[in-house]
PDB file of all heavy atoms in Angstrom:
ATOM      1  N   ARG D 175      -9.898 -17.022  -1.750  1.00 98.00           N
ATOM      2  CA  ARG D 175     -10.716 -18.124  -1.201  1.00 98.00           C
ATOM      3  C   ARG D 175      -9.839 -19.194  -0.557  1.00 98.00           C
ATOM      4  O   ARG D 175      -9.823 -20.353  -0.983  1.00 98.00           O
ATOM      5  CB  ARG D 175     -11.610 -18.717  -2.312  1.00 98.00           C
ATOM      6  CG  ARG D 175     -12.493 -17.684  -2.998  1.00 98.00           C
ATOM      7  CD  ARG D 175     -13.510 -18.295  -3.941  1.00 98.00           C
ATOM      8  NE  ARG D 175     -12.950 -19.169  -4.946  1.00 98.00           N
ATOM      9  CZ  ARG D 175     -12.350 -18.778  -6.069  1.00 98.00           C
ATOM     10  NH1 ARG D 175     -12.230 -17.477  -6.321  1.00 98.00           N
ATOM     11  NH2 ARG D 175     -11.871 -19.635  -6.932  1.00 98.00           N
ATOM     12  N   PRO D 176      -9.094 -18.810   0.498  1.00 98.00           N
ATOM     13  CA  PRO D 176      -8.151 -19.764   1.104  1.00 98.00           C
ATOM     14  C   PRO D 176      -8.855 -20.910   1.826  1.00 98.00           C
ATOM     15  O   PRO D 176      -9.888 -20.691   2.459  1.00 98.00           O
ATOM     16  CB  PRO D 176      -7.368 -18.893   2.101  1.00 98.00           C
ATOM     17  CG  PRO D 176      -8.271 -17.760   2.424  1.00 98.00           C
ATOM     18  CD  PRO D 176      -9.099 -17.503   1.188  1.00 98.00           C
ATOM     19  N   ARG D 177      -8.277 -22.089   1.707  1.00 98.00           N
ATOM     20  CA  ARG D 177      -8.788 -23.262   2.432  1.00 98.00           C
ATOM     21  C   ARG D 177      -7.636 -23.848   3.235  1.00 98.00           C
ATOM     22  O   ARG D 177      -6.477 -23.764   2.803  1.00 98.00           O
ATOM     23  CB  ARG D 177      -9.282 -24.330   1.447  1.00 98.00           C
ATOM     24  CG  ARG D 177     -10.483 -23.903   0.622  1.00 98.00           C
ATOM     25  CD  ARG D 177     -10.695 -24.843  -0.528  1.00 98.00           C
ATOM     26  NE  ARG D 177      -9.468 -24.952  -1.335  1.00 98.00           N
ATOM     27  CZ  ARG D 177      -9.430 -25.432  -2.570  1.00 98.00           C
ATOM     28  NH1 ARG D 177     -10.521 -25.864  -3.146  1.00 98.00           N
ATOM     29  NH2 ARG D 177      -8.291 -25.491  -3.228  1.00 98.00           N
ATOM     30  N   PRO D 178      -7.941 -24.459   4.392  1.00 98.00           N
ATOM     31  CA  PRO D 178      -6.863 -25.078   5.168  1.00 98.00           C
ATOM     32  C   PRO D 178      -6.077 -26.047   4.291  1.00 98.00           C
ATOM     33  O   PRO D 178      -6.667 -26.816   3.524  1.00 98.00           O
ATOM     34  CB  PRO D 178      -7.617 -25.821   6.278  1.00 98.00           C
ATOM     35  CG  PRO D 178      -8.918 -25.096   6.405  1.00 98.00           C
ATOM     36  CD  PRO D 178      -9.264 -24.622   5.019  1.00 98.00           C
ATOM     37  N   GLY D 179      -4.765 -25.960   4.390  1.00 98.00           N
ATOM     38  CA  GLY D 179      -3.910 -26.865   3.617  1.00 98.00           C
ATOM     39  C   GLY D 179      -3.476 -26.303   2.272  1.00 98.00           C
ATOM     40  O   GLY D 179      -2.545 -26.830   1.646  1.00 98.00           O
ATOM     41  N   ASP D 180      -4.117 -25.231   1.808  1.00 98.00           N
ATOM     42  CA  ASP D 180      -3.677 -24.603   0.555  1.00 98.00           C
ATOM     43  C   ASP D 180      -2.259 -24.056   0.722  1.00 98.00           C
ATOM     44  O   ASP D 180      -1.895 -23.578   1.804  1.00 98.00           O
ATOM     45  CB  ASP D 180      -4.578 -23.412   0.195  1.00 98.00           C
ATOM     46  CG  ASP D 180      -5.865 -23.826  -0.504  1.00 98.00           C
ATOM     47  OD1 ASP D 180      -5.973 -24.983  -0.937  1.00 98.00           O
ATOM     48  OD2 ASP D 180      -6.759 -22.955  -0.612  1.00 98.00           O
ATOM     49  N   THR D 181      -1.497 -24.074  -0.356  1.00 99.00           N
ATOM     50  CA  THR D 181      -0.212 -23.375  -0.347  1.00 99.00           C
ATOM     51  C   THR D 181      -0.417 -21.986  -0.930  1.00 99.00           C
ATOM     52  O   THR D 181      -0.822 -21.829  -2.084  1.00 99.00           O
ATOM     53  CB  THR D 181       0.846 -24.149  -1.152  1.00 99.00           C
ATOM     54  OG1 THR D 181       1.053 -25.406  -0.503  1.00 99.00           O
ATOM     55  CG2 THR D 181       2.160 -23.389  -1.211  1.00 99.00           C
ATOM     56  N   LEU D 182      -0.168 -20.992  -0.072  1.00 99.00           N
ATOM     57  CA  LEU D 182      -0.313 -19.588  -0.461  1.00 99.00           C
ATOM     58  C   LEU D 182       1.077 -19.000  -0.656  1.00 99.00           C
ATOM     59  O   LEU D 182       1.912 -19.066   0.248  1.00 99.00           O
ATOM     60  CB  LEU D 182      -1.052 -18.827   0.659  1.00 99.00           C
ATOM     61  CG  LEU D 182      -0.974 -17.289   0.639  1.00 99.00           C
ATOM     62  CD1 LEU D 182      -1.665 -16.708  -0.593  1.00 99.00           C
ATOM     63  CD2 LEU D 182      -1.613 -16.705   1.911  1.00 99.00           C
ATOM     64  N   LEU D 183       1.322 -18.451  -1.825  1.00 99.00           N
ATOM     65  CA  LEU D 183       2.587 -17.782  -2.121  1.00 99.00           C
ATOM     66  C   LEU D 183       2.304 -16.290  -2.251  1.00 99.00           C
ATOM     67  O   LEU D 183       1.393 -15.895  -2.983  1.00 99.00           O
ATOM     68  CB  LEU D 183       3.178 -18.335  -3.423  1.00 99.00           C
ATOM     69  CG  LEU D 183       4.475 -17.679  -3.915  1.00 99.00           C
ATOM     70  CD1 LEU D 183       5.636 -17.988  -2.963  1.00 99.00           C
ATOM     71  CD2 LEU D 183       4.820 -18.160  -5.320  1.00 99.00           C
ATOM     72  N   GLY D 199      -3.318 -15.484   5.779  1.00 98.00           N
ATOM     73  CA  GLY D 199      -3.269 -16.826   5.192  1.00 98.00           C
ATOM     74  C   GLY D 199      -2.940 -17.883   6.235  1.00 98.00           C
ATOM     75  O   GLY D 199      -3.535 -18.963   6.262  1.00 98.00           O
ATOM     76  N   LYS D 200      -2.004 -17.577   7.130  1.00 98.00           N
ATOM     77  CA  LYS D 200      -1.672 -18.529   8.204  1.00 98.00           C
ATOM     78  C   LYS D 200      -2.904 -18.780   9.070  1.00 98.00           C
ATOM     79  O   LYS D 200      -3.193 -19.913   9.438  1.00 98.00           O
ATOM     80  CB  LYS D 200      -0.539 -17.980   9.093  1.00 98.00           C
ATOM     81  CG  LYS D 200       0.849 -18.027   8.516  1.00 98.00           C
ATOM     82  CD  LYS D 200       1.328 -19.430   8.212  1.00 98.00           C
ATOM     83  CE  LYS D 200       1.552 -20.296   9.458  1.00 98.00           C
ATOM     84  NZ  LYS D 200       1.965 -21.681   9.043  1.00 98.00           N
ATOM     85  N   ARG D 201      -3.616 -17.712   9.386  1.00 98.00           N
ATOM     86  CA  ARG D 201      -4.803 -17.874  10.243  1.00 98.00           C
ATOM     87  C   ARG D 201      -5.878 -18.686   9.547  1.00 98.00           C
ATOM     88  O   ARG D 201      -6.708 -19.312  10.215  1.00 98.00           O
ATOM     89  CB  ARG D 201      -5.361 -16.499  10.637  1.00 98.00           C
ATOM     90  CG  ARG D 201      -4.402 -15.672  11.482  1.00 98.00           C
ATOM     91  CD  ARG D 201      -5.081 -14.429  11.993  1.00 98.00           C
ATOM     92  NE  ARG D 201      -6.055 -14.771  12.998  1.00 98.00           N
ATOM     93  CZ  ARG D 201      -5.786 -14.879  14.302  1.00 98.00           C
ATOM     94  NH1 ARG D 201      -4.581 -14.640  14.758  1.00 98.00           N
ATOM     95  NH2 ARG D 201      -6.731 -15.209  15.150  1.00 98.00           N
ATOM     96  N   ALA D 202      -5.884 -18.665   8.200  1.00 98.00           N
ATOM     97  CA  ALA D 202      -6.872 -19.450   7.444  1.00 98.00           C
ATOM     98  C   ALA D 202      -6.414 -20.898   7.269  1.00 98.00           C
ATOM     99  O   ALA D 202      -7.085 -21.678   6.602  1.00 98.00           O
ATOM    100  CB  ALA D 202      -7.111 -18.791   6.081  1.00 98.00           C
ATOM    101  N   GLY D 203      -5.250 -21.228   7.840  1.00 98.00           N
ATOM    102  CA  GLY D 203      -4.787 -22.619   7.780  1.00 98.00           C
ATOM    103  C   GLY D 203      -3.960 -22.944   6.554  1.00 98.00           C
ATOM    104  O   GLY D 203      -3.718 -24.126   6.257  1.00 98.00           O
ATOM    105  N   CYS D 204      -3.513 -21.916   5.845  1.00 98.00           N
ATOM    106  CA  CYS D 204      -2.688 -22.172   4.653  1.00 98.00           C
ATOM    107  C   CYS D 204      -1.237 -22.425   5.055  1.00 98.00           C
ATOM    108  O   CYS D 204      -0.780 -21.998   6.119  1.00 98.00           O
ATOM    109  CB  CYS D 204      -2.706 -20.965   3.714  1.00 98.00           C
ATOM    110  SG  CYS D 204      -4.325 -20.572   3.064  1.00 98.00           S
ATOM    111  N   ARG D 205      -0.521 -23.086   4.152  1.00 98.00           N
ATOM    112  CA  ARG D 205       0.936 -23.132   4.237  1.00 98.00           C
ATOM    113  C   ARG D 205       1.391 -21.894   3.463  1.00 98.00           C
ATOM    114  O   ARG D 205       1.025 -21.748   2.298  1.00 98.00           O
ATOM    115  CB  ARG D 205       1.415 -24.407   3.538  1.00 98.00           C
ATOM    116  CG  ARG D 205       2.736 -24.869   4.013  1.00 98.00           C
ATOM    117  CD  ARG D 205       3.048 -26.252   3.453  1.00 98.00           C
ATOM    118  NE  ARG D 205       4.432 -26.188   3.055  1.00 98.00           N
ATOM    119  CZ  ARG D 205       4.860 -26.051   1.819  1.00 98.00           C
ATOM    120  NH1 ARG D 205       4.000 -26.022   0.815  1.00 98.00           N
ATOM    121  NH2 ARG D 205       6.138 -25.974   1.587  1.00 98.00           N
ATOM    122  N   VAL D 206       2.158 -21.027   4.109  1.00 99.00           N
ATOM    123  CA  VAL D 206       2.429 -19.724   3.487  1.00 99.00           C
ATOM    124  C   VAL D 206       3.927 -19.548   3.233  1.00 99.00           C
ATOM    125  O   VAL D 206       4.747 -19.687   4.146  1.00 99.00           O
ATOM    126  CB  VAL D 206       1.920 -18.554   4.368  1.00 99.00           C
ATOM    127  CG1 VAL D 206       2.143 -17.225   3.657  1.00 99.00           C
ATOM    128  CG2 VAL D 206       0.442 -18.739   4.701  1.00 99.00           C
ATOM    129  N   ASP D 226       5.956 -20.366   6.656  1.00 98.00           N
ATOM    130  CA  ASP D 226       6.513 -21.713   6.472  1.00 98.00           C
ATOM    131  C   ASP D 226       7.760 -21.708   5.603  1.00 98.00           C
ATOM    132  O   ASP D 226       8.474 -22.712   5.545  1.00 98.00           O
ATOM    133  CB  ASP D 226       5.430 -22.610   5.865  1.00 98.00           C
ATOM    134  CG  ASP D 226       4.220 -22.667   6.786  1.00 98.00           C
ATOM    135  OD1 ASP D 226       4.312 -23.333   7.822  1.00 98.00           O
ATOM    136  OD2 ASP D 226       3.209 -22.001   6.498  1.00 98.00           O
ATOM    137  N   THR D 248       7.746 -24.303  -2.337  1.00 98.00           N
ATOM    138  CA  THR D 248       6.278 -24.423  -2.272  1.00 98.00           C
ATOM    139  C   THR D 248       5.767 -25.825  -2.620  1.00 98.00           C
ATOM    140  O   THR D 248       4.718 -26.236  -2.122  1.00 98.00           O
ATOM    141  CB  THR D 248       5.596 -23.449  -3.271  1.00 98.00           C
ATOM    142  OG1 THR D 248       6.051 -23.766  -4.599  1.00 98.00           O
ATOM    143  CG2 THR D 248       5.899 -22.005  -2.934  1.00 98.00           C
ATOM    144  N   GLY D 249       6.440 -26.501  -3.544  1.00 98.00           N
ATOM    145  CA  GLY D 249       5.892 -27.764  -4.062  1.00 98.00           C
ATOM    146  C   GLY D 249       4.678 -27.530  -4.949  1.00 98.00           C
ATOM    147  O   GLY D 249       3.888 -28.443  -5.195  1.00 98.00           O
ATOM    148  N   GLY D 250       4.504 -26.316  -5.437  1.00 98.00           N
ATOM    149  CA  GLY D 250       3.334 -25.964  -6.259  1.00 98.00           C
ATOM    150  C   GLY D 250       2.449 -24.993  -5.483  1.00 98.00           C
ATOM    151  O   GLY D 250       2.454 -24.981  -4.258  1.00 98.00           O
ATOM    152  N   VAL D 251       1.710 -24.178  -6.229  1.00 98.00           N
ATOM    153  CA  VAL D 251       1.027 -23.022  -5.621  1.00 98.00           C
ATOM    154  C   VAL D 251      -0.488 -23.097  -5.855  1.00 98.00           C
ATOM    155  O   VAL D 251      -0.933 -23.191  -7.000  1.00 98.00           O
ATOM    156  CB  VAL D 251       1.592 -21.719  -6.253  1.00 98.00           C
ATOM    157  CG1 VAL D 251       0.843 -20.497  -5.747  1.00 98.00           C
ATOM    158  CG2 VAL D 251       3.083 -21.595  -5.976  1.00 98.00           C
ATOM    159  N   ASP D 252      -1.249 -23.046  -4.752  1.00 98.00           N
ATOM    160  CA  ASP D 252      -2.718 -22.998  -4.876  1.00 98.00           C
ATOM    161  C   ASP D 252      -3.213 -21.562  -5.016  1.00 98.00           C
ATOM    162  O   ASP D 252      -4.173 -21.294  -5.726  1.00 98.00           O
ATOM    163  CB  ASP D 252      -3.373 -23.614  -3.631  1.00 98.00           C
ATOM    164  CG  ASP D 252      -3.072 -25.094  -3.505  1.00 98.00           C
ATOM    165  OD1 ASP D 252      -3.483 -25.865  -4.396  1.00 98.00           O
ATOM    166  OD2 ASP D 252      -2.394 -25.479  -2.523  1.00 98.00           O
ATOM    167  N   ILE D 253      -2.579 -20.662  -4.256  1.00 98.00           N
ATOM    168  CA  ILE D 253      -2.981 -19.245  -4.305  1.00 98.00           C
ATOM    169  C   ILE D 253      -1.704 -18.419  -4.462  1.00 98.00           C
ATOM    170  O   ILE D 253      -0.764 -18.573  -3.680  1.00 98.00           O
ATOM    171  CB  ILE D 253      -3.681 -18.787  -3.002  1.00 98.00           C
ATOM    172  CG1 ILE D 253      -4.830 -19.725  -2.643  1.00 98.00           C
ATOM    173  CG2 ILE D 253      -4.172 -17.354  -3.137  1.00 98.00           C
ATOM    174  CD1 ILE D 253      -5.453 -19.419  -1.264  1.00 98.00           C
ATOM    175  N   LYS D 271      -0.968 -24.870  -9.289  1.00 98.00           N
ATOM    176  CA  LYS D 271      -1.622 -26.171  -9.212  1.00 98.00           C
ATOM    177  C   LYS D 271      -3.059 -26.089  -9.750  1.00 98.00           C
ATOM    178  O   LYS D 271      -3.537 -25.005 -10.086  1.00 98.00           O
ATOM    179  CB  LYS D 271      -1.618 -26.659  -7.749  1.00 98.00           C
ATOM    180  CG  LYS D 271      -0.212 -27.056  -7.310  1.00 98.00           C
ATOM    181  CD  LYS D 271      -0.037 -27.170  -5.821  1.00 98.00           C
ATOM    182  CE  LYS D 271      -0.860 -28.197  -5.120  1.00 98.00           C
ATOM    183  NZ  LYS D 271      -0.510 -28.270  -3.683  1.00 98.00           N
ATOM    184  N   ARG D 275      -5.731 -19.947  -7.730  1.00 98.00           N
ATOM    185  CA  ARG D 275      -6.267 -18.587  -7.783  1.00 98.00           C
ATOM    186  C   ARG D 275      -5.074 -17.629  -7.775  1.00 98.00           C
ATOM    187  O   ARG D 275      -4.248 -17.674  -6.851  1.00 98.00           O
ATOM    188  CB  ARG D 275      -7.174 -18.283  -6.588  1.00 98.00           C
ATOM    189  CG  ARG D 275      -8.556 -18.906  -6.689  1.00 98.00           C
ATOM    190  CD  ARG D 275      -8.575 -20.347  -6.238  1.00 98.00           C
ATOM    191  NE  ARG D 275      -8.464 -20.481  -4.794  1.00 98.00           N
ATOM    192  CZ  ARG D 275      -8.052 -21.598  -4.186  1.00 98.00           C
ATOM    193  NH1 ARG D 275      -7.682 -22.662  -4.878  1.00 98.00           N
ATOM    194  NH2 ARG D 275      -8.000 -21.652  -2.859  1.00 98.00           N
TER     195      ARG D 275
END
Side-chain angles (χ1 to χ4, degrees):
R175 304 188 306 281
R177 295 166 305 197
D180 278 347
T181 297
L182 164 65
L183 177 67
K200 285 298 293 177
R201 296 188 71 88
C204 298
R205 204 171 137 258
V206 183
D226 301 286
T248 59
V251 175
D252 295 297
I253 308 173
K271 289 164 62 176
R275 283 83 73 201

